[in-house]
Amino acid sequence: MKDERELYMGRALRLAKKAASMGEVPVGAVIVKDGKVIATGYNKRETLKNALAHAEIIAINRACRKLGGWRLHMCDIYVTLEPCPMCAGAIINARIKTVYVGAKDTSRGALGSFCDLASASGLYHPKVEFGCLQQDCSNVLTEFFRGLRHG
Amino acid sequence: MKDERELYMGRALRLAKKAASMGEVPVGAVIVKDGKVIATGYNKRETLKNALAHAEIIAINRACRKLGGWRLHMCDIYVTLEPCPMCAGAIINARIKTVYVGAKDTSRGALGSFCDLASASGLYHPKVEFGCLQQDCSNVLTEFFRGLRHG
């Protein structure tokens, strides 16, 4: 039987695949509160022609609207790829409780890889857990970029 | 005669004061392209009940919509307070050319004070210039927080 975390990350992974099918770098995000998915997002930077349209930003925007407040301190976020500085900063600003990360982003990941905003002194510290469906989350990116190289 | 930069920062400062009048932490942002203001924003976190609603994010969102693309590489941004990690990350993701900062934010500023995302290896590097109307930008924050303490 699947771990609850794998179910949520599995949903984020399906969103990442939807992004890939639209020619977007495949990243998906799911926000969960009290065992319910309250908001989702996937990368739409090219589709929306907007530098802010990362999966996490779209999901956090929807969660704030849905809950009617800027504090998401009772929420967890599941992301298929380690957040960039913008998205890690947004997660911190929104006081999200726990961040579940699929694949690490060694070049831009801001929760421990490229830098670690989540344990920086003076900022709010979300809990961060790596490794949920890591291989699947990594594969979807590898396949996407392989597809791009081969036209 | 006023320096052009002081004119743009002056406009950001008036936006910060508008935020203060609404009970928001006073921060304003102005995006300029080819000598024209193309987008503005001021902090609306409480008003919009949204963790993303910082001055810079609102202005970048508007600029991307206005220009119809996610790359703002011909644009400069004027901000009354040094951007937090989320906003510095957004400025980097949008490839903004130059960031003019009024007051430093020693506790959360991510362009050199708390951390320095603008010179991190592997990320896009915007130019960063501090000091434009620094005292005025600092005063508007000091007065706002003094007002809060005295009810």
Side-chain angles (χ1 to χ4, degrees):
Chain A
M1 194 176 142
K2 273 194 182 175
D3 182 291
E4 195 182 48
R5 288 168 296 183
E6 292 188 2
L7 289 173
Y8 297 130
M9 191 62 86
R11 180 139 173 207
L13 192 56
R14 289 196 297 281
L15 291 163
K17 288 173 182 172
K18 192 167 177 185
S21 74
M22 294 165 65
E24 300 277 1
V25 174
V27 183
V30 166
I31 295 178
V32 176
K33 179 172 183 277
D34 300 330
K36 280 184 191 155
V37 172
I38 60 155
T40 65
Y42 56 93
N43 179 33
K44 285 188 184 171
R45 188 180 66 167
E46 305 297 337
T47 307
L48 296 181
K49 303 175 189 303
N50 194 317
L52 307 174
H54 285 196
E56 302 93 317
I57 297 291
I58 291 170
I60 290 171
N61 188 38
R62 288 178 176 162
C64 288
R65 285 166 183 259
K66 186 150 186 175
L67 299 181
W70 64 262
R71 287 178 193 81
L72 305 180
H73 59 288
M74 301 298 283
C75 298
D76 298 327
I77 190 167
Y78 292 77
V79 284
T80 58
L81 181 67
E82 184 179 354
C84 73
M86 172 180 76
C87 293
I91 287 167
I92 289 165
N93 287 354
R95 312 281 193 271
I96 287 179
K97 194 170 59 173
T98 308
V99 190
Y100 295 95
V101 179
K104 286 191 182 186
D105 183 349
T106 52
S107 63
R108 301 198 313 155
L111 293 180
S113 295
F114 156 71
C115 65
D116 190 2
L117 294 174
S119 63
S121 67
L123 296 182
Y124 167 78
H125 292 185
K127 276 185 270 184
V128 181
E129 191 179 300
F130 281 89
C132 183
L133 300 187
Q134 181 169 358
Q135 197 58 56
D136 294 332
C137 291
S138 179
N139 286 348
V140 73
L141 284 156
T142 310
E143 282 163 24
F144 177 79
F145 287 111
R146 188 186 294 139
L148 278 191
R149 278 196 301 276
H150 298 302
Chain B
M1 196 176 140
K2 271 195 181 175
D3 183 292
E4 195 182 45
R5 290 167 296 185
E6 291 188 3
L7 289 173
Y8 297 131
M9 191 62 86
R11 180 140 173 205
L13 193 56
R14 288 196 297 280
L15 291 163
K17 288 174 183 172
K18 192 167 176 183
S21 74
M22 294 165 64
E24 301 276 1
V25 174
V27 183
V30 166
I31 296 180
V32 175
K33 179 173 184 279
D34 300 331
K36 279 184 194 155
V37 172
I38 61 156
T40 65
Y42 55 92
N43 179 34
K44 285 189 184 170
R45 187 180 69 169
E46 305 298 335
T47 307
L48 296 181
K49 303 174 189 301
N50 194 316
L52 307 174
H54 284 196
E56 301 93 318
I57 297 291
I58 292 170
I60 290 171
N61 188 39
R62 288 178 176 163
C64 288
R65 285 165 183 258
K66 186 149 186 178
L67 299 180
W70 63 262
R71 288 177 192 82
L72 305 180
H73 58 289
M74 301 297 284
C75 298
D76 298 327
I77 189 167
Y78 292 78
V79 284
T80 57
L81 181 67
E82 184 180 355
C84 75
M86 171 179 76
C87 294
I91 287 167
I92 290 165
N93 287 353
R95 312 280 193 273
I96 286 178
K97 195 170 59 172
T98 309
V99 190
Y100 295 95
V101 178
K104 287 192 180 186
D105 183 348
T106 53
S107 63
R108 301 198 314 154
L111 292 181
S113 295
F114 156 71
C115 65
D116 189 4
L117 294 174
S119 63
S121 64
L123 296 181
Y124 166 79
H125 293 186
K127 276 183 272 184
V128 181
E129 190 179 302
F130 281 90
C132 183
L133 300 187
Q134 180 168 358
Q135 197 57 56
D136 294 332
C137 291
S138 179
N139 286 349
V140 71
L141 285 154
T142 309
E143 282 163 25
F144 177 78
F145 287 112
R146 187 187 294 139
L148 279 190
R149 277 196 303 276
H150 298 302

